[in-house]
Amino acid sequence: MTRAYGVLDGKGKKRGTAKWTVTTAGGTCCEVLVAATRTGRLVEFGGQFPAYSDDKSKSWTEIRTLTPVTSQLDDASPRAVGGGEGTIVMAPGGDIVGVGWDPYSGDRLQSFLYEADTKPCS
């Protein structure tokens, strides 16, 4: 979905509008990082798992960890593993590196690596 937002100058006076694509992919609150590869793939990480889109954010594919998605706690409620906060960056050569922090089920870190040469998530 595309929405138009007002653009303000340095003094706070409206100077027009800018169109932005709005998506519900990923993210749990405020800290969502979105980046793009040279080929136009969008990648984002801000919720439990990173996700990517090859169609300008119309659809998203979530990247799940090999770690089980629930912890074995003596508790009736399952707890997600994989992060409540995350960040993702483009690395040299087309690689993508991400890390998630899950403070809610044992203070865990989970790393993610997309190696452009092997293309594991294409």
Side-chain angles (χ1 to χ4, degrees), residues 9-107:
D9 66 15
K11 295 182 180 179
K13 186 172 181 174
K14 188 172 179 180
R15 294 292 181 191
T17 59
K19 290 184 180 179
W20 290 82
T21 298
V22 179
T23 178
T24 58
T28 55
C29 181
C30 311
E31 300 85 9
V32 177
L33 182 80
V34 179
T37 66
R38 289 182 181 180
T39 62
R41 172 177 276 179
L42 299 175
V43 294
E44 77 81 36
F45 196 1
Q48 295 226 308
F49 302 103
Y52 69 90
S53 174
D54 290 324
D55 59 8
K56 299 182 180 177
S57 81
K58 292 176 186 162
S59 64
W60 291 86
T61 301
E62 188 173 70
I63 307 300
R64 292 289 183 137
T65 64
L66 297 176
T67 308
V69 289
T70 56
S71 59
Q72 301 297 320
L73 300 175
D74 295 330
D75 182 311
S77 60
R79 307 208 177 181
V81 174
E85 308 290 337
T87 189
I88 198 161
V89 296
M90 303 300 125
D95 293 349
I96 303 171
V97 181
V99 65
W101 171 50
D102 182 4
Y104 310 110
S105 66
D107 203 20

